[in-house]
Amino acid sequence: MASSAENVPGAAAGKSRFRNQKSKQENQGDSELLTVPDGWKEPAFSKEDNPRGLLEESSFATLFPKYREAYLKECWPLVQKALNEHHVNATLDLIEGSMTVCTTKKTFDPYIIIRARDLIKLLARSVSFDQAVRILQDDVACDIIKIGSLVRNKERFVKRRQRLIGPKGSTLKALELLTNCYVMVQGNTVSAIGPFSGLKETLMIKRELAKDSELRSQSWERFLPQFKHKNVNKRKEPKKKTVKKEYTPFPPPQPESQIDKELASGEYFLKASQKKRQKMEAIKAKQAEAVSKRQEERKKAFIPPKEKPVVKPKEASNETKIDVAAIKEKVKKAKNKKLGALTAEELKLKMEANEKKKKKKK
């Protein structure tokens, strides 16, 4: 009995070891199956995979804003050409402002209608055709993120959206390079197109830091870029400001009634005939004022305007008079004077100077 009891624990321990080894082998097999080799791509879905086609036709439609109408008119032939390769029809309704895609009897890929739906959604969100047509590829995905409802305050929303774009679009370009995705910020949405892994990644710094085992448990804020905050234009204040009155617990005084006014003026104690007489006198006084004003206005037309005083012309002063005789003498001298010849006075002076020189020499 003792020997049989001793053998039982050993058998149980052997079974537990065998189970642990078996579970480890199963886990290793699962991990090997989950790992994908580098450079492996899923083969494209061809017509041979679904030779009978689809049982039913399906369609999707989406609306687009008015400002996208001109661009969609230009690029719509290219959209139809790209979708016809996958046997999908596309229609553009400019009256209702909608785009529709639907499968045909020749369509063999059941998932192509979902990609066509994403294509028209991206075109409606101001994404260019060159970028939006990439969604028809198997290794490309897209995501339209709504950011308008994240913040209630409009000014704070504008600041955060500008922070996402960055100075001169540098942050947005960095995100595109890091994630291999095309990112488009338009209004209250952000459209992203790229590989599945790129849509999940946000920063290359995060990717590089994740490789270091020591930095996994530490804060990465010191490695992230820090931008200076720029104040957005403040809200314009109204021209007319309503000033709130100070709060008082007492109600405002009641306005005086007609009886109170008559009591104060003494009219309440007058008879009806006296009251009527006063009213008639007040009316006659108003009429007399109106008549006098009309007469004054009529008389204004007969009042002659004030004449301006006549200004006598000033006599020419002696200083400004022209000396005609002096001018005539100057003209005569100018005529007699030859070019380069000396005047009579200059000749006399020259002769006198020559004579003095001769006397000094002697």
Side-chain angles (χ1 to χ4, degrees):
M1 291 293 290
S3 62
S4 62
E6 288 175 359
N7 291 330
V8 170
K15 286 180 181 180
S16 63
R17 287 174 188 171
F18 178 73
R19 285 175 185 171
N20 291 333
Q21 289 176 359
K22 193 175 181 181
S23 63
K24 286 180 181 178
Q25 289 175 1
E26 287 177 355
N27 291 332
Q28 288 177 359
D30 293 340
S31 64
E32 288 175 1
L33 290 172
L34 291 172
T35 55
V36 179
D38 295 335
W40 182 85
K41 287 186 179 180
E42 189 176 353
F45 194 86
S46 62
K47 194 172 182 180
E48 296 174 358
D49 298 329
N50 187 16
R52 295 182 181 180
L54 305 178
L55 296 174
E56 293 184 359
E57 293 182 359
S58 55
S59 63
F60 288 99
T62 185
L63 300 173
F64 61 87
K66 185 71 175 177
Y67 63 86
R68 291 289 290 170
E69 185 176 336
Y71 180 76
L72 291 173
K73 273 186 187 178
E74 294 178 3
C75 71
W76 196 250
L78 299 173
V79 175
Q80 287 179 327
K81 185 180 178 181
L83 291 175
N84 284 336
E85 293 176 359
H86 300 277
H87 306 290
V88 177
N89 290 334
T91 55
L92 177 66
D93 192 348
L94 297 175
I95 297 170
E96 293 183 358
S98 63
M99 294 179 284
T100 310
V101 289
C102 61
T103 57
T104 60
K105 292 180 181 179
K106 295 182 180 180
T107 307
F108 58 88
D109 189 356
Y111 196 72
I112 195 64
I113 189 64
I114 304 298
R115 296 189 177 278
R117 178 200 64 183
D118 294 340
L119 173 63
I120 59 175
K121 276 187 178 180
L122 292 170
L123 289 172
R125 294 310 308 158
S126 299
V127 179
S128 62
F129 170 75
D130 298 334
Q131 296 292 339
V133 77
R134 291 171 54 205
I135 195 62
L136 299 177
Q137 301 173 12
D138 291 336
D139 57 345
V140 177
C142 73
D143 193 6
I144 297 173
I145 307 156
K146 294 181 180 179
I147 59 174
S149 59
L150 297 176
V151 184
R152 290 184 181 179
N153 192 351
K154 191 175 181 180
E155 292 181 5
R156 192 177 297 171
F157 167 70
V158 171
K159 285 181 182 178
R160 292 188 180 181
R161 186 177 63 183
Q162 188 61 33
R163 196 183 304 163
L164 177 63
I165 298 168
K168 297 181 181 180
S170 59
T171 306
L172 201 62
K173 288 176 184 176
L175 284 170
E176 290 178 357
L177 293 169
L178 303 173
T179 59
N180 295 323
C181 293
Y182 172 78
V183 184
M184 177 71 181
V185 180
Q186 177 68 20
N188 296 331
T189 58
V190 177
S191 304
I193 307 166
F196 291 96
S197 60
L199 292 175
K200 293 180 181 179
E201 292 292 333
T202 54
L203 287 172
M204 186 190 295
I205 298 168
K206 184 178 177 181
R207 193 187 304 167
E208 294 297 327
L209 292 172
K211 294 178 183 178
D212 195 347
S213 59
E214 295 179 359
L215 296 173
R216 284 181 183 177
S217 59
Q218 296 180 10
S219 177
W220 297 348
E221 288 184 0
R222 63 181 186 273
F223 301 106
L224 298 175
Q226 295 179 359
F227 298 102
K228 293 181 180 179
H229 298 286
K230 292 184 179 180
N231 294 327
V232 181
N233 293 330
K234 293 182 179 179
R235 186 181 176 184
K236 292 182 179 178
E237 296 180 354
K239 292 181 179 178
K240 295 181 179 179
K241 294 182 179 180
T242 55
V243 181
K244 292 184 178 180
K245 296 179 180 178
E246 294 182 0
Y247 173 75
T248 55
F250 305 103
Q254 289 185 349
E256 292 183 352
S257 62
Q258 189 66 24
I259 296 169
D260 294 336
K261 291 178 182 178
E262 288 180 357
L263 286 169
S265 62
E267 293 181 6
Y268 184 79
F269 303 102
L270 297 174
K271 294 179 181 179
S273 59
Q274 291 175 344
K275 288 180 181 180
K276 193 174 182 180
R277 194 185 302 159
Q278 284 185 354
K279 285 182 182 179
M280 291 298 292
E281 287 176 357
I283 291 166
K284 286 178 181 180
K286 287 182 181 179
Q287 288 177 353
E289 287 180 3
V291 169
S292 63
K293 285 181 181 179
R294 284 178 201 164
Q295 288 177 355
E296 287 177 0
E297 289 178 358
R298 288 174 184 173
K299 288 177 182 178
K300 283 180 183 178
F302 300 100
I303 297 170
K306 293 181 179 179
E307 295 181 358
K308 294 180 180 179
V310 179
V311 180
K312 293 181 180 180
K314 294 181 179 179
E315 294 180 356
S317 60
N318 297 325
E319 294 177 356
T320 57
K321 286 181 180 180
I322 299 168
D323 193 356
V324 180
I327 293 170
K328 284 181 179 180
E329 288 179 359
K330 286 181 181 179
V331 172
K332 284 179 182 179
K333 287 179 181 179
K335 285 180 180 179
N336 295 329
K337 186 178 179 181
K338 294 180 181 180
L339 291 170
L342 297 171
T343 60
E345 293 178 357
E346 289 176 349
L347 286 169
K348 287 180 181 180
L349 293 170
K350 196 171 184 181
M351 292 292 286
E352 289 176 358
N354 290 331
E355 287 178 359
K356 285 179 181 180
K357 285 180 181 179
K358 288 177 182 180
K359 287 178 181 180
K360 285 181 180 180
K361 285 179 180 179
K362 289 178 180 179

